Amino acid sequence: MKRHGYYYYIDEPGMREIKAGDESVFTMPMLLSLDEYWEVLHYIFCGKKHNGAAPWGYIVPLRAENYIRDALATVHFIYPEQVRMAKDALFSISEEQFTAMYNFKELKKSGLYGINWRTKKEQFDKDLLLNFHALRAFFNKVAQSDDCIIFYIV
């Protein structure tokens, strides 16, 4: 079974309820899926699997200080100011700069979740660009609404 990364956004009072355990992460609709590319994208932006530095580490927030305990999924979050920082980082680079940030052959050898020996470069590049544009649109929308983002892996 593949592990997929999902995003949704929520206001700060809702975030407090989730962090307190009063509300389940799974009561909110999924608004963006990175499919199985969540770890690859974090690695491309940050150069490591987890705990990437701000602002790039907020795009796929696999950060220890942004973690919520949940029995059913790995859950991370970012606050509105972190959403704005991530959005600014995403819009600071072009599509060409994004694709120049990674080497397919090196990623394939890296052992990252979402890429393996059967992964084909053409499809991989296409999927990553789609995710890059989806992330830009999603973070732009959430930054305008001044909401938090929840990211979870199931």
Side-chain angles (χ1 to χ4, degrees), residues 57-116:
Y58 294 141
I59 296 169
V60 182
L62 303 175
R63 299 169 55 91
E65 74 270 14
N66 297 68
Y67 177 75
I68 300 171
R69 292 203 176 273
D70 189 282
L72 301 176
T74 302
V75 181
H76 298 272
F77 64 91
I78 56 176
Y79 290 109
E81 62 276 4
Q82 296 167 324
V83 171
R84 287 188 294 278
M85 290 172 65
K87 183 214 46 131
D88 291 344
L90 283 165
F91 280 92
S92 74
I93 60 172
S94 66
E95 184 177 292
E96 293 77 23
Q97 290 169 315
F98 171 70
T99 57
M101 292 174 77
Y102 68 90
N103 177 299
F104 177 74
K105 288 181 182 180
E106 288 177 17
L107 286 177
K108 205 167 181 179
K109 294 177 185 177
S110 67
L112 294 166
Y113 190 82
I115 187 169
N116 59 47

